[in-house]
Amino acid sequence: MRFLVVIAVFCSAFAQAQSYSEDMEKERISNNRDMRDHVLDSAERAAFKGICYFSIDTNYVVDATFTRKKGKKFVMPMTKARTVYYRQYGVLQFRIHDTLCELAVYENLGLKGKEYKNYLFLPFRDGTTALSTYGGGRYVDLQKQSGTSWKIDFNKAYHPYCVYSHRYSCPIPPKENTILPFVTAGECYVAEE
C-alpha cells in the first residue's frame, strides 16, 4: 500500500513540474513576442536574436521569509537621468545552494492605478552578474503575499529594457541587494560579438 502512495505522490509531483515548465515556456515565447513588437524600434528589431534564458529549474523557486520593513522615500539610481521614487516595503530572507540570502523588496511610488496596488519590485545582483547576466543586475516582479511565508520565482528574473534598447532608462539595483550565489535562472546575457 505504501508503495502505491509513493508512486502516486511521485507521479503528481512530476505532472506539476511538467505543467510548470510548459507554462514557463509559453511565458518565454510571449516575452520574446512582446519585446519584438512593443519594446524595440525597427533597427533594434532587425538585430534582435531573441531573449537568452537559462534552463527552467524549480530549485530557483524559493521559499522566503518576509519581514515588513517600510523605508523612507528615495530616488532609485537609474541608467540615464530620470527621477523615480521608491520605498522599501520589506526584506526577504531565503536560501540558494545552502547560502542564506537577503534582499529588500520595493514599491515604485510612481505607479498608480488598481493594477499596481499589490505590485512589488525586487532588483538584484548575484554571482552571475556581469558574467552570464547583465552587469547592471536583473529584476523579479512580485505581488504582495499574505503572511510571512513568500515565494520568489527566479525563473522569472529578467533584464531591464535598457539591455535591449538604448531608448530606456532603467533602475540600478541598490548595492545592498547583492547576493553571492549564482542564480542560473531567468534571463541570461549574450555579449555582442
Side-chain angles (χ1 to χ4, degrees):
M1 185 68 149
R2 282 188 190 174
F3 180 71
L4 293 175
V5 170
V6 169
I7 288 178
V9 168
F10 175 78
C11 289
S12 174
F14 178 76
Q16 286 177 346
Q18 190 172 14
S19 175
Y20 172 80
S21 291
E22 289 169 358
D23 290 345
M24 283 301 304
E25 286 296 340
K26 287 178 188 171
E27 188 173 314
R28 289 176 173 191
I29 290 167
S30 175
N31 291 345
N32 267 295
R33 187 172 38 249
D34 287 346
M35 181 67 67
R36 186 179 308 280
D37 297 345
H38 303 293
V39 176
L40 305 178
D41 64 21
S42 58
E44 293 161 345
R45 219 173 279 128
F48 182 62
K49 295 181 176 128
I51 299 171
C52 169
Y53 287 103
F54 290 107
S55 296
I56 297 165
D57 187 343
T58 56
N59 290 310
Y60 290 105
V61 181
V62 299
D63 294 315
T65 300
F66 172 74
T67 304
R68 182 80 161 97
K69 285 188 180 174
K70 188 174 179 180
K72 294 181 180 177
K73 180 167 99 169
F74 72 98
V75 175
M76 182 80 74
M78 305 295 279
T79 55
K80 290 183 183 177
R82 187 165 68 108
T83 302
V84 183
Y85 290 99
Y86 283 81
R87 175 180 291 137
Q88 181 175 309
Y89 182 77
V91 174
L92 294 163
Q93 276 194 337
F94 53 93
R95 290 192 176 276
I96 291 185
H97 310 306
D98 294 326
T99 300
L100 184 62
C101 302
E102 183 174 289
L103 292 172
V105 62
Y106 301 93
E107 292 177 291
N108 181 333
L109 300 178
L111 295 177
K112 305 294 182 197
K114 282 191 255 179
E115 67 270 29
Y116 297 112
K117 180 179 157 203
N118 292 312
Y119 173 78
L120 294 173
F121 180 59
L122 181 63
F124 71 99
R125 291 185 181 100
D126 66 284
T128 68
T129 301
L131 297 174
S132 53
T133 61
Y134 174 57
R138 292 183 289 165
Y139 313 147
V140 174
D141 294 332
L142 292 175
Q143 292 291 314
K144 293 176 184 173
Q145 300 170 41
S146 60
T148 59
S149 185
W150 287 31
K151 286 237 185 265
I152 307 170
D153 188 348
F154 285 103
N155 288 294
K156 296 185 177 196
Y158 64 97
H159 288 131
Y161 285 166
C162 54
V163 169
Y164 303 100
S165 174
H166 67 280
R167 295 173 297 120
Y168 289 87
S169 174
C170 303
I172 299 169
K175 285 190 168 109
E176 60 270 19
N177 258 32
T178 300
I179 57 176
L180 295 176
F182 283 61
V183 179
T184 53
E187 288 188 24
C188 54
Y189 184 64
V190 178
E192 290 183 22
E193 298 171 2

